[in-house]
Amino acid sequence: MSVTDSTTATLAATEGPGGRPATAALRPKAASRPPRRGLVRSLLRNRKAMLGASLLVVFVALALLAPVLAPGDPTLITSGGSQPPSSAHLWGTTAKGQDVLALTLWGARSSLFVGFLVGVAATIVGVTVGLAAGYFGRLTDDVLSLATNVFLLMPGLPLLVILAAFLPPGTGTVIVVLVITGWAGAARVLRSMALSIRAKDFVAAATVTGERAGWIMFREILPNMASIVMSTFLGCVIFGIGSQAGLEFLGLGDVSVVSWGTNLYWASNDGALMVGAWWAFLPSGLCIALVAFALALLNYAVDEVTNPRLRAPRRTRGDRRSVGAGTAVAANVTSEETIDPSATPVLEVRDLTVEYRGENRTVIGADRISFTIGEGEVFGLAGESGCGKSTVANTIMRLLREPAVIAGGSVRFCGRDVLAMPDEELRAYRWRDVAMVFQSAMSSLNPVMTVGDQIVDIYTTHLRLSRREARRRAGDLLELVKIDRSRLRSYPHQLSGGMRQRVVIAMAVALRPRLLIMDEPTTALDVVVQQEIMAQIADLRRELGFAVLFITHDMSLMIELSDRMGVMYGGRLVEQAPAAQVLADPQHPYTRALMNAFPPLTGPRTELTGLAEGVRFTDIDNLVEVAPGHWVAPVAAGSAAPTSEESSA
Amino acid sequence: MSDTMSTQAVVEIRGLVKDFTVGGFGSRNHVRALGGVDLDVRSGEIVALVGESGSGKSTIARCVARLEHPTAGTIHVGGVDVLRREPRRASRAYRSKVQMVFQDPFGSLNPVHRVEHFLTRALQLHGKAGGNGRSASLHARLEELMATVDLDPALLDSYPHELSGGQRQRVAIARALAVEPEVILADEPTSMLDVSVRIGILNLMRRLRDERGIALLFITHDLASARYVADRTVVMFAGEVVESGESTALMADPAHPYTRLLLSAVPDPRRAGTFDPVERAALRAEVLGATSCPFEAEGICRTDVPVWHRLGPDRAVRCHVYRPQRDVARRALDVAAATTTTEIEDQPA
């Protein structure tokens, strides 16, 4: 029994010579690059990050080189006080005759040192407390969270002032005080992050492997929070530099130390503002602002890189125009046009090509897809994740968003060009002509509105019915899916998952569409409920007579429900035939692999071999008719082997 | 391993109860996820645990993996009462006997580590790295593990996001195998995978049983997969085991109304009789609805907990329908296998 199985691996490498970009992108090949190095690389490409980092580097370099660059000793008190910038003193002198440039450069040392040290220490304390609270939970979490919240709620500045006043003055004291007041914010953010990572399976898996708590916290959970830790650290540094300046400005630090804060303190003490000696305080103030700005830029860039949704989408206005021009591209009509079973199909998709244009590469989501759906017909589209079946459905509904671009082909609904519809027509087309039920549709109900109100809304906005009439129709609609009218007053959370899905289906057919698209409508439900839902749809179809485009990876379900079906792989159709024909005589090796993916419930137990890991079909040709109504993509001789042969167990 | 061990139970679960607290701080409301489950997994056998979502299947595995602490009941592994011996946290010795494979291969492998890391850690923690724990012997072990799960050793340097779902699940299985466990708890290992690669994982499980004598508790909601790999199938409903038996026999002739319902809901075009969803929906109503069960009218399920009835060797069901005196009711459900029904007290599943 094991012999057949172990051969699957050796058969795996049948990659064709010309790998299609679609399959290559959807199933990434092994090319080792750690995700964290990706973060650094993305940061290097980010303009905000580069600007922030260069500013910081300049400041750090200036601080390090202060002994070389500074014109003389900053603490040297001379007789020439309060001189404006001149050739002798480029940035002028303070009231005591100290050189401002020297003060600023030397001040950078203390300010940056304290800032980074506070950042490091507050982050370490925050990370430890946050991780421990998030990982251990229960009592540990209660105690640590309480402490965190107490420190967060205590007004920071008064605490700083009190602590600084009681502790002996000095740089060390400033750092201790700032860490005590600064760690709580970090701890709170990191705790909630740790809590969510704690719930992931890899933490449970590490526990089962036998890892200890410390290892799991710092080696499994912490690396996953790298970006948050980094931005927390940057935030703490900003806090450190700012608060140190504030404390010292108030005279609570060691005023004999040269830092930007003490510079400001002395400038204020000497009445620089009153005498208009702007050069005494401007450089230090500006430096604090610039460093904070640089850190904030870096912080923002980290957020942006780790959360792609914040990134501004690339403008591809020119591409969007091609939606309307789709018909022009569809010149290379294939031989599949003769598939039409009836004269006027409800839906006619022809040579539809959709591309996802990423920053670096273009991925083909759907590649020259053609099929038709007749009046009242159930057409199934089968395939696995990433094969493009949902892309096709979303195109039909005109729901594609950037970076998806329709690169060619046409979609016609009852003869009307869907891709060229203006917005107004599109509004009526969606829902009234074609309705769609998504996989996660159960959660698409508004949780704060009753089910009744949500259905009533459909009738009042689309059909302009009175509320009373709409309410009556809503009740009828619920009864159509075998839910009691009284449930109109229920909120979605009061219904079971199966019931919610039935409500969604009822809403989809509320306006009597001619086509219902169902994208994996039962994947989230278990078999018994799935079967109920399917019964419901069969009932509704009998009553209302709409056509169905049914999308799933479950071939058994599809064959039972569909009249005709297509099988998709890597954006291409590989087979199209009546469902009974697919069951009796599946032709393409991929279709056979899908069929054999579900072992039978009856008959002898035979060993099946699914599609071996890594088997790829590339350069899939146009479909060829092998029997009346049965279209199959020709298979190259080599790639037929690694699929589904049956052998007895 | 050897035939002498094949009848011995590796995992013996008795009266397992798990209550979950619901509501916020200080809440005393409980939801009972497991209501006294008995279950044996013998050496070198695959036991499938089937039932709808929320029936408590995963909770059993998580209790045995010591990720949850059961409210009551005992778990014996290799004859040792593990909850008594290690009440707070499982020892590493226990971990080296019991391993788990999770449902979501995208979630169960830490994205920041390479494949090599997962396997190396498992080997090192359990002293299976060979030699001084590094160098050539370790690498040989790694390659051997990869070969066992049909993966190219070159993938050792990959990160999880560079692998397909099937490959990831194979890595997760290799990690479990690295500690050379006696039993692997597989919690819906195929349900998140692309359908075309599921069979490969199921075949791998069969091979581990046949070649290494590893016992597997295979949790699934897919009856066809259960029938395909499992020696025995145990059906759960609402936190309790309602039927158990040899897989093909059980599926060919389900005894409990709930098993019948589950089976009837599985789409299978190859099965005799075509799809009539309306008819099946009626069956569901008949079985689960208040008027369906011949005893429900008397409310017997509410007052009397059904006991186990032995239907044959290795075959048991827990339903009042099988009470010997109620021949009429039995006929009502048209169960042919019930001819040798005897009532017994506490039949472990």
Side-chain angles (χ1 to χ4, degrees), chain A residues 5 31-32 34 202 207-211 220 224 384-385 526 528 531-532 560 597 599 603 605 608 611 613, chain B residues 53 92 95 99 107 110 113 121 126 157 159 162 164 194-196 203 207 211 224 227-228 230 275 280 284:
Chain A
D5 186 56
S32 278
F202 65 73
T207 309
V208 171
T209 306
E211 300 286 11
E220 304 287 339
N224 282 287
E384 295 175 295
S385 51
D526 51 60
V528 178
Q531 181 265 313
E532 275 185 316
E560 284 192 340
R605 255 202 295 211
L608 307 171
L611 203 60
E613 207 70 60
Chain B
S53 42
R92 218 163 252 173
R95 300 278 180 217
Q99 280 293 306
N110 195 336
H113 297 309
R121 283 303 292 178
H126 297 275
D157 286 332
Y159 284 90
E162 294 162 345
S164 72
D194 272 345
V195 288
S196 61
N203 285 342
R207 219 178 68 212
E211 292 178 0
R227 183 181 186 272
Y228 181 69
F275 179 76
R280 282 198 208 148
R284 175 182 163 87

Side-chain angles (χ1 to χ4, degrees), chain A residues 450-600:
Chain A
T450 63
V451 168
D453 286 343
Q454 293 182 55
I455 303 177
V456 165
D457 268 2
I458 305 172
Y459 287 121
T460 49
T461 50
H462 285 264
L463 299 182
R464 313 212 175 282
L465 296 179
S466 69
R467 283 199 71 82
R468 207 155 140 220
E469 172 66 7
R471 194 131 195 111
R472 194 185 61 75
R473 295 270 283 266
D476 293 347
L477 195 65
L478 276 195
E479 281 180 353
L480 198 64
V481 291
K482 311 263 177 358
I483 297 177
D484 196 81
R485 293 185 101 84
S486 63
R487 288 292 192 168
L488 282 177
R489 280 190 295 276
S490 299
Y491 286 92
H493 71 267
Q494 294 168 319
L495 306 176
S496 70
M499 259 188 183
R500 265 179 295 179
Q501 191 71 314
R502 289 216 301 257
V503 169
V504 171
I505 290 168
M507 287 167 73
V509 300
L511 302 176
R512 308 277 160 118
R514 292 181 68 185
L515 175 66
L516 179 66
I517 300 177
M518 295 193 294
D519 189 355
E520 307 256 11
T522 57
T523 308
L525 306 166
D526 51 60
V527 275
V528 178
V529 183
Q530 159 179 303
Q531 181 265 313
E532 275 185 316
I533 300 282
M534 287 304 155
Q536 202 69 71
I537 289 164
D539 256 5
L540 284 175
R541 215 170 62 79
R542 219 165 290 166
E543 203 151 323
L544 306 175
F546 49 82
V548 175
L549 172 59
F550 181 46
I551 294 172
T552 182
H553 62 262
D554 186 338
M555 289 289 268
S556 309
L557 192 61
M558 172 151 291
I559 288 170
E560 284 192 340
L561 272 176
S562 308
D563 300 318
R564 278 188 315 122
M565 59 182 285
V567 179
M568 278 184 78
Y569 180 85
R572 287 289 273 163
L573 269 174
V574 296
E575 188 156 358
Q576 196 179 129
Q581 189 82 24
V582 175
L583 174 65
D585 184 24
Q587 293 275 325
H588 197 274
Y590 183 68
T591 311
R592 286 206 291 267
L594 278 186
M595 300 273 298
N596 275 327
F598 294 91

